[in-house]
Amino acid sequence: MDDQIDQWFVREILAHERSLMRYLARVWPNRDEIADLRQEIYARVLASALQARPSSPKSFLFTAARNLMIDRLRRNRITFIGAWGDLDALNALVDEVSPESRLTAHQELGRLAQAFDGLPPKCREVTWLRKVEQLPQKAVAARLGIQEKAVEKQVSRGMRLLARALLEEPMDGAKRGEAIAEEGAGHG
């Protein structure tokens, strides 16, 4: 490698190392892999620059970083969700969800809807307003003409029943009615 490409690399690419590392730390969930990612990004940029130098080195560097992360996600079929950022932070499209995953999600959503429909009417209404419409507890109490404590109890009851319905085997109508009656016996 000649001195010209080395000088260009130091001046135009390594000058952005701090920004690159902050970006990688923000969007890549496994901190242990960040140093390896950085080196692989540098290798890609350098290999490409040996062919033709990019007109906007900083943009090229971050595009290479984004593309490398997308490649790794696709290769590993990993989807990260949470505080580390998500695929939108990478500004990229990912492979379409598999038919099996889509079917499983559809079945789980159906179970949730069935469980939600099986909640006692007041519990269902309060849970809907708090968890789906995301109204504050005070607003739900005012809208339904009940005390805030009652809202809290109904939401807690609703979430317990929904969690039980989703975590246990699917219940038929009779079993669901028994579970709701049992849950109601302890709450007024």
Side-chain angles (χ1 to χ4, degrees), residues 34-84:
I34 291 177
D36 290 338
L37 277 171
R38 178 190 59 205
Q39 291 311 112
E40 194 170 338
I41 292 163
Y42 287 161
R44 284 185 175 195
V45 168
L46 187 57
S48 183
L50 287 171
Q51 301 298 316
R53 299 223 181 113
S55 59
S56 179
K58 183 177 181 183
S59 293
F60 187 76
L61 172 67
F62 282 89
T63 299
R66 187 190 76 220
N67 290 340
L68 174 63
M69 288 185 284
I70 292 167
D71 289 348
R72 282 199 176 185
L73 290 173
R74 284 183 178 150
R75 185 175 60 238
N76 295 329
R77 296 264 185 222
I78 297 171
T79 304
F80 299 109
I81 300 173
W84 295 101

Side-chain angles (χ1 to χ4, degrees), residues 37-179:
L37 277 171
R38 178 190 59 205
Q39 291 311 112
E40 194 170 338
I41 292 163
Y42 287 161
R44 284 185 175 195
V45 168
L46 187 57
S48 183
L50 287 171
Q51 301 298 316
R53 299 223 181 113
S55 59
S56 179
K58 183 177 181 183
S59 293
F60 187 76
L61 172 67
F62 282 89
T63 299
R66 187 190 76 220
N67 290 340
L68 174 63
M69 288 185 284
I70 292 167
D71 289 348
R72 282 199 176 185
L73 290 173
R74 284 183 178 150
R75 185 175 60 238
N76 295 329
R77 296 264 185 222
I78 297 171
T79 304
F80 299 109
I81 300 173
W84 295 101
D86 57 17
L87 293 177
D88 290 337
L90 298 178
N91 192 23
L93 299 174
V94 289
D95 295 337
E96 188 172 323
V97 177
S98 72
E100 296 83 11
S101 297
R102 188 180 306 269
L103 177 62
T104 300
H106 184 71
Q107 289 170 339
E108 288 174 358
L109 185 58
R111 283 182 62 196
L112 177 61
Q114 186 178 19
F116 197 85
D117 288 343
L119 291 176
K122 182 62 85 178
C123 183
R124 181 176 53 241
E125 185 177 19
V126 170
T127 304
W128 180 270
L129 292 172
R130 282 290 288 133
K131 297 299 180 181
V132 177
E133 293 188 20
Q134 297 183 337
L135 293 177
Q137 188 169 307
K138 192 173 198 168
V140 173
R143 183 185 226 176
L144 300 178
I146 59 176
Q147 293 185 0
E148 285 187 57
K149 191 75 172 165
V151 171
E152 186 177 321
K153 284 182 180 181
Q154 290 296 325
V155 169
S156 177
R157 179 180 181 200
M159 296 309 291
R160 273 194 310 275
L161 288 170
L162 290 173
R164 182 182 295 158
L166 293 175
L167 296 176
E168 294 177 356
E169 291 183 28
M171 295 184 200
D172 61 23
K175 285 184 183 176
R176 189 171 35 264
E178 290 171 15

